[in-house]
Structures are given as structure tokens and as C-alpha cells.
């Protein structure tokens, strides 16, 4: 029987190679939890099996609020602020989530689909007008979700260059120094505070139906959240509201181009796009492999190991999504897969609030790209793709693409 050791393993175990999974995860899934030490914070347990990861994400004996005041294990110098929704447990987490959840319901998101479609088509029109090659990241993947979240939240699109830098700093592992990260977070908070001040100054003369105005009303009229909570919530939505989609669009295209049989299947039947989005979310390891730490509030038996009260556990959704105990041939991309749902958007109370919006945007993006650019391909081959470095999300920084004929 494999035994844990007192000395934690350094994590990450290896440098990520494009979108390839961490090789050691396959071995670790055969063992109990693994003690690890991340670049920042105290040591913790790493959960790699699907069932263990779901327990850590969904069982209330594992707490995010318990991380407040602790030096939690993490990849980034930045810790989640104590007033953040990411640092809360129910019922406080539920209270904050309810304030914004109506903007991300399936029904509300479907009402946004025609606008997302219009934006995506307009971006492809621009690519076609300028001609190949185009950068799929700058010319399509970034502006699509940024435009949507700006309109939803009520943030000026023309400020996108600033909050894109702040977003990278927020997600930085090594790209920025801790001092640069702290300064960017401060600038972003000042920016959001300025937008809130504008809303307060005009709300009695100009009614606005955006999420930021709704937060201001919830704060000023109903006292349902504090000033700090409002600021943190707006910042989190602005970053998370575009980052996953902007990163996954080129990831999806890259993965499909590396699997021409699956790409041909999808091109032949665009009705498979929703299923393709789910399988690609399972298949692609978006993050670095270690999720946000949860702290055990009592002794918990997990994966054959007793996690003591007060110990942190990091759930690896990237590993869980490749668990052969759950998925047949887990390292294969299969757009017709019908096995259990992935945990790419998390699980439990902290399941991604914006998952319906991200799903819709990813569906629209794939549909438009495959319909309008049926022979989309890498303009400079795989070597021409430049990958992000020093961030907690994995994906292309630049992805030159070309096509043979004009879209319709």
C-alpha cells in the first residue's frame, strides 16, 4: 500500500506543455491524497480522483471561509480578500450569490444569445475584411466575452485595455511581481469604485438596467451587502466574466485542429456544438491543476486518508476530469461521450456562477467560427502559437489563423 510521507511534494510537478495534462496525475490517482507545497502558503493535501474532488467541492465539512486569516496554499501571491464571494461559505455565500444570480440564469443568458451571435458575426466580418492571417485571440476570443460582460455589468468597453492588464495581474503566478499584482488590484478597485460613484450620482435621473446598478441599489436601498462586498463582487464578475471564455475559445479550436476526426464530425453536424463544449471543457486542463484550497472543519476520511480539522485540501478538477474510474478512455477527445458530467465549472456551492453565460458564449463562438470559416486552420502551424506564461490559466497568448475562402 502506498503511504504518505511527511515531506510534501513541490507543486506544480512539471512545467505545463501546451494543453497536455500533468503526467504525474495518472500515478497519483492510484494513491491516497498527496501532500504538496505550492509556491505560496502552507502545505496541503492534493485531491486528484473524481469522487474525492467532488467531496471537497461539495461537502460542507470543507470550508472556504476557514481560509480567512490563514496562509492558504496557492499558486499566486494574491490571496482572495476576506470580503470576496470566493472566501465565503453558506449562508453568507448564498446571500452574495443571490444578489447577482438572476443575471446568469439560463433564461436570462438565452436572451443574451442573439446579441452574442451579433458580436461574434461582426468579429468574423472584421477578420474577413482584413484578410488572413488573423490572431484568433485578439481578433475574436477576447473581444467577444469582454463585450458581453461589459454590457451586462455596465462597464465601458473602451476601458478594456486597462482591466485586461488588471485581470492578468489578478491571475498572475509569475508574470508580475507581488508588488505589481498588489498595485493592479488597487487600481482595479479604484476603477470599480469610480464606476459605482458615477451610478450613485446619476441613478435618480437615469435608470440603468445593468448589473452594477443593481448592486448599487442592493447596497444603498436594501443594505443587503457591504461596500467592500459590493466592490469585491463587481471585480470578481469583471475578471471571471470574460477570462474563462476568452481562454477556452482558442483552446477549443487548438484541440479540435489536433483531432481532425472530431473536427470533421462537428463540421458535419453543428447540432453537436453543445455536446462538444461539454467534452472540450472536460478534456482541456484550463488551470494549473490545483484548485482553490478548502479547509476541513472536522476530521474527514477522504481517499483513504484522514484529513485533520484545520488542514487544507486542493481539489484538482483537471485530474478529476481525466479519471479512468469515471470516464472510459479519458485521454481521448470524444464529442459523443455520454458519461458523467465534468467538473470543469466546479461543483457544489461554489460552482461557477457564470457557467450558463460561458457555455452560451462558447457555443456561439464554435458555431460561428465553424460555419463562417469552415476551413479555419493554424496559419503558422503549431509552432506559431504563442502560449501564456506566468498565469494561472493555460491557453494561447497569440494564435495566428487563416482560411481559404470567405465566409457567408
Amino acid at each position: 500500500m502506498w503511504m504518505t510521507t511527511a515531506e510534501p511534494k513541490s507543486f506544480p510537478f512539471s512545467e505545463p506543455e501546451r494543453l497536455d495534462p500533468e503526467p504525474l496525475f495518472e500515478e497519483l490517482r492510484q494513491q491516497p491524497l498527496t501532500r504538496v507545497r505550492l509556491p505560496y502558503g502552507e502545505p496541503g493535501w492534493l485531491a486528484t480522483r473524481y469522487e474525492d474532488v467532488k467531496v471537497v467541492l461539495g461537502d460542507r465539512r470543507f470550508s472556504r471561509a476557514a481560509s480567512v486569516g490563514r496562509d492558504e496554499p496557492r499558486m499566486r501571491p494574491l490571496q482572495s480578500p476576506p470580503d470576496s464571494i470566493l472566501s465565503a461559505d453558506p449562508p453568507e455565500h448564498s446571500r452574495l450569490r443571490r444578489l447577482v444570480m438572476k443575471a446568469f440564469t439560463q433564461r436570462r443568458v438565452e436572451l443574451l444569445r442573439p446579441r452574442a451571435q451579433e458580436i461574434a458575426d461582426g468579429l468574423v466580418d472584421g477578420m474577413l475584411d482584413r484578410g488572413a492571417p488573423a490572431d484568433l485571440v485578439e481578433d475574436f476570443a477576447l473581444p467577444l466575452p469582454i463585450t458581453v460582460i461589459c454590457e451586462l455589468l455596465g462597464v465601458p468597453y473602451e476601458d478594456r485595455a486597462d482591466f485586461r492588464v488588471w485581470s492578468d495581474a489578478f491571475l498572475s503566478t509569475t508574470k508580475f511581481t507581488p508588488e505589481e499584482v498588489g498595485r493592479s488590484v488597487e487600481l482595479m478597485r479604484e476603477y470599480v469604485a469610480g464606476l459605482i460613484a458615477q451610478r450613485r450620482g446619476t441613478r435618480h435621473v437615469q435608470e440603468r438596467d445593468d448589473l452594477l446598478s443593481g448592486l448599487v441599489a442592493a447596497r444603498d436601498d436594501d443594505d443587503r451587502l457591504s461596500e467592500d462586498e459590493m466592490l469585491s463582487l463587481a471585480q470578481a464578475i469583471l475578471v471571471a466574466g470574460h477570462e474563462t471564455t476568452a481562454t477556452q475559445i482558442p483552446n477549443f479550436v487548438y484541440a479540435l485542429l489536433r483531432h481532425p476526426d472530431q473536427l470533421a464530425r462537428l463540421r458535419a453536424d453543428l447540432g453537436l456544438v453543445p455536446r462538444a463544449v461539454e467534452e472540450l471543457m472536460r478534456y482541456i486542463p484550463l488551470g494549473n491543476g490545483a484548485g482553490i484550497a478548502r479547509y476541513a472543519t472536522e476530521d474527514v476520511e477522504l481517499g483513504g486518508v484522514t484529513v485533520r480539522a484545520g488542514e487544507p485540501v486542493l481539489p484538482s478538477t483537471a485530474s478529476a476530469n481525466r479519471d479512468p474510474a469515471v470516464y472510459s478512455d479519458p485521454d481521448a477527445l470524444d464529442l459523443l461521450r455520454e458519461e458523467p458530467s465534468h467538473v470543469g465549472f466546479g461543483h457544489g456551492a461554489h460552482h461557477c456562477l457564470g457557467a450558463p453565460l460561458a457555455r452560451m458564449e462558447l457555443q456561439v463562438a464554435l458555431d460561428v467560427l465553424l460555419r463562417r470559416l469552415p476551413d479555419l486552420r493554424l496559419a503558422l502551424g503549431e509552432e506559431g502559437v504563442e502560449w501564456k506564461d506566468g498565469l494561472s490559466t493555460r491557453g494561447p497568448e497569440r494564435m495566428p489563423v487563416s482560411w481559404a475562402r470567405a465566409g457567408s
Side-chain angles (χ1 to χ4, degrees), residues 2 22 30 32 34 65 91 163 184-185:
W2 186 86
E22 165 55 56
Q30 310 303 315
T34 304
F163 64 72
S184 288
V185 170

Side-chain angles (χ1 to χ4, degrees), residues 305-323:
V305 170
T306 299
V307 179
R308 300 296 181 187
E311 291 184 332
V313 183
L314 297 125
S316 175
T317 57
S319 176
N321 282 333
R322 297 289 188 104
D323 191 341

Side-chain angles (χ1 to χ4, degrees), residues 5 39 144 218 241 265 278 366 396 403:
T5 61
L144 171 57
R265 172 179 282 169
E278 300 309 311
L366 274 187
W403 52 90

Side-chain angles (χ1 to χ4, degrees), residues 187-198 200 227 231:
L187 288 171
M188 189 176 192
R189 196 172 183 88
E190 291 173 357
Y191 172 78
V192 173
L195 293 177
I196 289 171
Q198 290 175 10
R200 283 178 166 146
E227 193 77 13
L231 284 166

Side-chain angles (χ1 to χ4, degrees), residues 206-352:
Q206 179 187 7
E207 287 291 329
R208 299 185 59 163
D209 185 25
D210 58 56
L211 189 51
L212 194 58
S213 297
L215 290 176
V216 171
R219 166 63 183 151
D220 293 357
D221 297 345
D222 303 324
D223 197 27
R224 286 185 286 166
L225 74 169
S226 70
E227 193 77 13
D228 285 340
E229 287 173 337
M230 177 174 60
L231 284 166
S232 293
L233 201 50
Q235 286 178 272
I237 293 169
L238 185 56
V239 174
H242 77 271
E243 179 60 38
T244 296
T245 305
T247 302
Q248 287 291 56
I249 289 171
N251 283 348
F252 280 16
V253 171
Y254 179 81
L256 287 168
L257 290 173
R258 295 190 75 187
H259 295 82
D261 59 327
Q262 298 300 306
L263 178 56
R265 172 179 282 169
L266 188 56
R267 280 174 168 158
D269 181 6
L270 291 178
L272 290 175
V273 163
R275 291 179 67 176
V277 166
E278 300 309 311
E279 172 64 355
L280 286 160
M281 281 296 301
R282 181 200 70 83
Y283 180 81
I284 292 171
L286 176 63
N288 53 50
I292 299 175
R294 270 73 170 172
Y295 280 77
T297 57
E298 59 184 77
D299 290 358
V300 181
E301 193 73 20
L302 184 68
V305 170
T306 299
V307 179
R308 300 296 181 187
E311 291 184 332
V313 183
L314 297 125
S316 175
T317 57
S319 176
N321 282 333
R322 297 289 188 104
D323 191 341
V326 177
Y327 302 103
S328 59
D329 199 6
D331 293 328
L333 180 66
D334 180 4
L335 302 189
L336 299 182
R337 190 181 295 277
E338 295 183 349
E339 289 163 312
S341 59
H342 60 81
V343 287
F345 287 115
H347 175 71
H350 284 271
H351 179 270
C352 178

Side-chain angles (χ1 to χ4, degrees), residues 32-103:
L33 305 182
T34 304
R35 291 285 288 171
V36 293
R37 180 179 289 280
L38 275 61
Y40 298 93
E42 61 186 312
W45 295 102
L46 180 69
T48 55
R49 298 167 175 168
Y50 182 90
E51 292 302 329
D52 294 340
V53 166
K54 288 194 73 174
V55 170
V56 175
L57 293 174
D59 192 314
R60 292 199 176 187
R61 293 175 297 174
F62 290 98
S63 165
R64 276 298 300 148
S67 69
V68 176
R70 298 285 296 264
D71 189 15
E72 64 179 308
R74 61 198 187 278
M75 292 292 296
R76 305 175 294 141
L78 183 73
Q79 285 190 263
S80 298
D83 50 39
S84 167
I85 191 171
L86 294 175
S87 301
D89 292 334
E92 289 301 298
H93 175 270
S94 306
R95 173 180 60 85
L96 294 172
R97 191 177 176 102
R98 279 195 298 270
L99 292 173
V100 295
M101 193 162 54
K102 66 179 181 180

Side-chain angles (χ1 to χ4, degrees), residues 24 115 118 130 133 159 171 173 208-209 222 251 288 292 297 303 312 333 348 369 382:
L24 195 56
R115 175 58 179 148
E118 179 185 17
R130 291 186 296 272
D159 296 339
L171 298 169
T173 53
R208 299 185 59 163
D209 185 25
D222 303 324
N251 283 348
N288 53 50
I292 299 175
T297 57
L333 180 66
L369 289 173
E382 289 193 29

